[in-house]
Amino acid sequence: MSEPENKKSRRALKNVPPDRFQPKMLIFWLVLVGAVVGLLMWSPNLNTAPETLTIQDVVERAEEKNIYNEDPRKAAVIRPDPSGGRDWHMITGESRKDVNSAFKPFRAAGRVTDSSMERLQKSKLFSEQPTTTVLASIAGQVIPFLIIIGLLYFLFVRQLKQAGRGAMSFGKSRAKLLTRDRDKITFAEVAGCDEAKEEVSEVVEFLKDPKKFTKMGGKIPKGILMVGPPGTGKTLLAKAVAGEADVPFFSISGSDFVEMFVGVGASRVRDMFEQGRKSAPCLIFIDEIDAVGRQRGAGVGGGNDEREQTLNSLLVEMDGFDTNEGVIIIAATNRPDVLDSALLRPGRFDRQIYVDLPDLNGREQILRVHAKRISLADTVELAVIARGTPGLSGAELANLLNEAALLAARRGKKKVEMIDVEDAREKVQFGRERRRLMDDDEKKLTAYHEAGHALVQAVLDDGHMPVHKVTIIPRGRSLGSTMFIPKKDVLTQEKKKLEIRIATGCGGRIAEEVVLNDISNGASGDILMVTKIARHMVCDWGMSPLGMIAFGESNDTVFLGREITRSQPYSEETARKIDAEVSRIVEEQYRRSKEIILSRRPALDKIAEALLEHETIEGRHVLEILEHGEIRSPIVMPLPPKLDETSTEKKAVDKAASPGDIGGHPTPTPHPA
C-alpha cells in the first residue's frame, strides 16, 4: 500500500483526553495580565500627585510660555466640566513656575471667562476636548474593577472548583497517551528479540485488519504478558507494536493503581478500560504489573485488601472485555512467579511472550541500532564486541556504547575507537579501575593471588573460556581481577566445566598458601562462589552420588509468605550427606588446583612478576609464559585516568555473579563477629 493511501486509511482518534498543557488557557492568561498592566500604565498621574493651580495661574503661565507643549501626547487639555456649572472647565497638563524649574503635572478647575479663554487660545498651547459623558465616566471607573474581579474569579473561584473536582479525581486513570508522530517507534528500532517480534506481529496485523482473523473464526488474544529479565526491551517492544499498528497507545505503571485511599485502585482500573473503549482500536500497556497483580492472600499476616480489590477489578474488566472492541492489553514483568494464577488463565492474558537476553547475533543487532547515534571509528568491530559481551541485556549494551563515548570524549578524541569500547566493556562488566595506594606486601599478595587463578584456568581450560586479562589494579570492590570471556554463549553448565570453575576459584588461596606460607581474607568471594557451585551440583543438578534428586526448593518467593513455616524437605541424615558431598567436591578440586600450581611453580612466579612490573597483562601473555617461560609479545600499558575522571566519575559496582570475573581479590571489609 502506498503512503498516501495509508494516510487516508488512518482512523482519527475519538474522545482523546486533552493534554495537560492547553495553549488557549495560556493565551487567555497572557492577555488578561497584559490588560491589567496596560490599564495601570495608562492611568495618568499614577505615581506623582498633580499640582493644583487656579485658572488665573494657568493663564499667566501660558502667556509666559511655561506650559509644556513639545510632545503632542503630553499637551495641556481644556475640557468642559458640567458638574461645576456653566463655563466650568478642567485644565490638565504640565507646567513650570519659571524657566529655571522643571515641568510638573498640574490640574486646574474653575470658571473660565471669555477673556481668559481668549488668552488661553491665543497662546496656542492647549487643545480643547469635548465634555466627557456620564456613561463614559462611569465606564472608566467600572471597567478596571470588572477586570480585577474577573482576575480574582479565575485565580480563586475557578481553582477552587478544579480542586473540588480534583478531590474526586483520584479514581481517574493516570494512563498517558503517546502521540503518533512524536513518540512513534517501529520494529526497526527493536533488535535482539526476533522471536518476540514475530509473536506480537499478529497483534499488529489484527489491529490493521481485524476481519482477516474474525472471518476464520479465530480470536485475537485479549492480553499479552511479556516476561523477561530487566533491560531486554519489553517496554520498547510494546511501543513498537503501537507504532507499527498506528493506533493510540496508553501507558501506565502498576504502581499508579496504588493510592492511600481505599477503592482508588479499582476505580482507576475501570476508568482506564473506559478510556480504551472510547479510543478503540488501541493498546493499553501496563508496566511492572506485578505491583498490582501479585498473588492474593500472600504475605506475612495475610493479604492486602486494597491491592486485592484492585486486582479483582482488573480480573473482572479483562474477563468482560470483548475482543471485537479492538482493545488489547499488553503487560510486562520480570517476576511472573508472583502473579496471581487467575490473571494468567486463558481469556485474560492468553499469551505469554518470553523476551530473553540476546544471543550473539542479537547483541550485534542491538549494538548496530545504538551505534547510529554515536560517532564510531572505522576500526570498531561490533561483531567482536558482541562476542565479548555474553549475558548483557539490551539496556546494558546501550550503556556500554554510551560509556565508550564518554570515555573517548574525556580523552579528547573526535571518534570512539576500539580501545575505548574495550575499556568501557571492562568497566561495565568488571568494575572501574581505582588507583588505590598499596604497599609492596599487598601488591605481592594480590599478584600471586591473581596469578594462581590465571595459571589454573589456563592449564585446565579447553578453549571454551580462555583468560582475557589479569590485573592487580583495583576494580569495583576487588583489589585485583582475573577476567575470562567465553568464546560462545553459555546455555548449559556441564559437570567438567563446573569443576574447572571450582578449581580456578581455589587457585588464588592456594597460591597465597604455597608462596607466602600464609592465607588472607582475599579469597572470601572465591569461597562463596565455590561453595555455591558445589551445592547447586549436589542439590539442584544431580551431579553427585546422591542421584537425580532435588534437595530443597527455590527461596526466591520468601516475601510471599510461603517459606516462613515450611519445614526441611529431607532428613538430618540426608543433610549430612549433602554437606559431605559438597565438601568432597570442593576438596577434590582444591587438591587438583594445588597439584597444578606446585608442578608449575616457575610459571606462577613469572606471571606474578609480570603483574608486579606491568600491573596488567593479557591472556596471551599467560599462555606464552606456560609455553615458552617468558612473555614474547609486547605489553600495552593501560592509559592512566585523568584527574577530573577520578574526582567526578561515579564508582562502578561490579556484578556479583559476573561470568568473567572469577576470583578477584576483594577489598577487606569488616564482618560482624
Side-chain angles (χ1 to χ4, degrees):
M1 184 181 292
S2 62
E3 187 174 355
E5 294 177 355
N6 192 18
K7 291 182 179 180
K8 293 180 180 179
S9 62
R10 289 185 178 178
R11 184 179 299 180
L13 298 181
K14 300 183 295 182
N15 300 320
V16 177
D19 296 331
R20 294 184 178 179
F21 176 75
Q22 301 182 14
K24 293 183 179 179
M25 292 300 300
L26 178 61
I27 295 174
F28 171 78
W29 287 111
L30 291 177
V31 171
L32 185 61
V33 173
V36 174
V37 173
L39 180 64
L40 295 176
M41 295 181 63
W42 173 80
S43 298
N45 305 330
L46 182 63
N47 298 323
T48 305
E51 182 183 4
T52 303
L53 302 178
T54 63
I55 299 297
Q56 186 63 28
D57 293 337
V58 175
V59 173
E60 293 176 356
R61 293 187 180 186
E63 292 178 345
E64 296 174 359
K65 303 296 182 181
N66 288 328
I67 302 297
Y68 184 80
N69 194 31
E70 296 180 2
D71 191 354
R73 296 175 298 179
K74 298 182 180 180
V77 177
I78 302 176
R79 184 183 293 107
D81 188 6
S83 62
R86 186 179 178 183
D87 297 334
W88 195 271
H89 289 75
M90 179 74 68
I91 304 176
T92 58
E94 294 183 5
S95 68
R96 61 184 178 183
K97 293 181 180 181
D98 50 39
V99 293
N100 296 324
S101 58
F103 288 99
K104 295 182 180 179
F106 74 91
R107 180 178 180 273
R111 232 179 131 88
V112 180
T113 61
D114 295 340
S115 60
S116 298
M117 181 62 70
E118 291 179 1
R119 296 168 63 182
L120 292 174
Q121 293 176 348
K122 188 177 180 181
S123 65
K124 298 181 180 180
L125 299 175
F126 299 88
S127 62
E128 297 185 32
Q129 294 185 0
T131 304
T132 304
T133 62
V134 178
L135 182 61
S137 179
I138 294 175
Q141 296 179 2
V142 172
I143 289 177
F145 288 100
L146 292 178
I147 294 176
I148 295 174
I149 292 173
L151 180 63
L152 294 176
Y153 170 79
F154 282 101
L155 285 178
F156 296 101
V157 179
R158 189 178 176 91
Q159 292 295 327
L160 289 175
K161 290 183 178 180
Q162 292 181 355
R165 291 194 298 267
M168 303 301 294
S169 66
F170 284 110
K172 299 297 183 181
S173 174
R174 294 185 177 181
K176 301 177 181 178
L177 176 64
L178 274 68
T179 59
R180 294 177 175 178
D181 298 329
R182 185 181 62 183
D183 303 318
K184 188 174 182 180
I185 297 176
T186 61
F187 282 155
E189 303 178 37
V190 183
C193 51
D194 296 335
E195 294 83 1
K197 286 196 294 185
E198 291 178 2
E199 291 201 51
V200 298
S201 60
E202 295 183 6
V203 178
V204 177
E205 294 182 7
F206 172 79
L207 292 173
K208 289 183 177 180
D209 188 13
K211 296 181 180 180
K212 178 181 178 182
F213 296 87
T214 56
K215 68 181 182 181
M216 301 293 295
K219 295 182 179 179
I220 201 69
K222 293 183 179 180
I224 297 176
L225 181 64
M226 294 185 181
V227 181
T232 53
K234 299 183 293 294
T235 304
L236 187 65
L237 185 59
K239 293 181 180 179
V241 173
E244 290 287 339
D246 198 19
V247 296
F249 182 81
F250 293 92
S251 177
I252 192 171
S253 175
S255 60
D256 291 336
F257 296 107
V258 182
E259 198 56 80
M260 62 181 293
F261 299 102
V262 178
V264 172
S267 179
R268 288 179 178 176
V269 170
R270 292 189 294 268
D271 186 71
M272 179 187 67
F273 279 86
E274 184 65 26
Q275 290 185 23
R277 293 187 182 97
K278 293 179 180 180
S279 302
C282 70
L283 285 172
I284 298 178
F285 177 65
I286 306 175
D287 199 8
E288 304 296 341
I289 195 175
D290 53 278
V292 66
R294 191 169 298 173
Q295 181 177 347
R296 290 169 290 183
V300 181
N304 188 320
D305 291 337
E306 172 60 18
R307 181 178 56 78
E308 292 182 2
Q309 289 181 12
T310 305
L311 177 58
N312 291 334
S313 178
L314 181 62
L315 295 175
V316 172
E317 290 291 336
M318 292 191 66
D319 195 43
F321 228 21
D322 188 5
T323 56
N324 295 326
E325 293 182 357
V327 181
I328 297 177
I329 308 297
I330 300 179
T333 181
N334 52 17
R335 293 300 307 273
D337 55 320
V338 305
L339 296 180
D340 194 272
S341 57
L343 195 64
L344 302 177
R345 74 162 178 81
R348 293 189 175 118
F349 283 107
D350 305 87
R351 181 176 298 179
Q352 294 188 25
I353 300 177
Y354 188 76
V355 186
D356 199 0
L357 293 172
D359 56 3
L360 178 60
N361 295 328
R363 292 194 299 272
E364 185 176 354
Q365 295 174 6
I366 294 173
L367 290 172
R368 295 191 183 280
V369 171
H370 294 289
K372 297 178 181 178
R373 309 181 186 93
I374 298 176
S375 298
L376 295 178
D378 298 334
T379 57
V380 177
E381 300 180 11
L382 298 179
V384 177
I385 301 173
R387 286 197 299 269
T389 53
L392 266 63
S393 64
E396 292 172 329
L397 292 173
N399 182 46
L400 187 150
L401 291 180
N402 183 65
E403 289 287 345
L406 297 178
L407 185 59
R410 287 196 296 268
R411 293 173 176 176
K413 300 180 180 180
K414 296 182 178 180
K415 290 188 176 181
V416 179
E417 300 177 356
M418 194 65 182
I419 184 66
D420 303 319
V421 181
E422 288 288 338
D423 294 343
R425 181 183 60 81
E426 294 177 0
K427 175 185 175 182
V428 171
Q429 289 186 290
F430 311 116
R432 179 186 175 271
E433 292 184 355
R434 296 180 294 110
R435 297 287 174 172
R436 176 171 292 184
L437 184 62
M438 295 188 296
D439 56 18
D440 294 338
D441 294 336
E442 289 181 340
K443 283 186 177 180
K444 184 178 181 181
L445 176 64
T446 305
Y448 274 101
H449 184 101
E450 302 303 332
H453 289 308
L455 177 62
V456 175
Q457 180 67 21
V459 172
L460 297 179
D461 182 51
D462 55 356
H464 173 70
M465 188 174 291
V467 179
H468 172 66
K469 185 178 292 186
V470 188
T471 180
I472 59 173
I473 299 176
R475 285 183 177 270
R477 297 177 57 188
S478 302
L479 295 178
S481 303
T482 304
M483 308 172 191
F484 315 118
I485 296 180
K487 289 293 186 179
K488 62 177 184 178
D489 294 346
V490 180
L491 302 178
T492 58
Q493 298 286 350
E494 302 174 7
K495 183 179 179 180
K496 293 181 179 180
K497 295 178 181 178
L498 292 172
E499 291 176 346
I500 292 175
R501 290 185 62 185
I502 295 175
T504 302
C506 298
R509 167 63 65 88
I510 296 172
E512 296 178 10
E513 182 182 355
V514 171
V515 178
L516 305 175
N517 294 322
D518 197 2
I519 57 177
S520 68
N521 65 342
S524 59
D526 303 330
I527 296 173
L528 181 62
M529 181 203 67
V530 166
T531 306
K532 187 177 181 180
I533 294 176
R535 188 164 292 276
H536 277 303
M537 293 175 63
V538 176
C539 298
D540 300 324
W541 301 330
M543 298 179 180
S544 71
L546 296 180
M548 296 179 58
I549 302 176
F551 301 99
E553 298 180 9
S554 177
N555 296 324
D556 296 336
T557 56
V558 176
F559 69 97
L560 290 179
R562 299 199 292 257
E563 302 284 342
I564 302 299
T565 60
R566 181 173 296 178
S567 61
Q568 186 173 283
Y570 46 84
S571 64
E572 292 294 333
E573 182 180 357
T574 303
R576 287 192 293 269
K577 291 181 180 179
I578 292 174
D579 294 338
E581 284 297 321
V582 172
S583 299
R584 181 189 61 82
I585 293 174
V586 176
E587 290 175 359
E588 286 182 357
Q589 300 307 317
Y590 188 91
R591 290 192 298 268
R592 181 185 183 186
S593 180
K594 191 171 185 178
E595 291 176 359
I596 294 173
I597 291 178
L598 291 174
S599 61
R600 293 172 173 82
R601 174 64 187 276
L604 178 69
D605 295 334
K606 288 287 186 179
I607 297 173
E609 292 173 0
L611 288 174
L612 291 174
E613 181 180 357
H614 304 286
E615 293 186 336
T616 301
I617 60 175
E618 299 181 10
R620 68 173 185 270
H621 299 143
V622 177
L623 297 178
E624 290 173 359
I625 292 175
L626 286 175
E627 294 178 2
H628 309 290
E630 61 180 358
I631 297 177
R632 296 187 174 183
S633 59
I635 298 177
V636 180
M637 300 296 294
L639 296 175
K642 296 182 179 180
L643 296 177
D644 58 346
E645 180 181 352
T646 58
S647 60
T648 60
E649 189 174 354
K650 297 187 296 182
K651 294 183 179 180
V653 180
D654 55 343
K655 299 179 181 179
S658 179
D661 190 12
I662 301 178
H665 190 77
T667 304
T669 54
H671 297 278

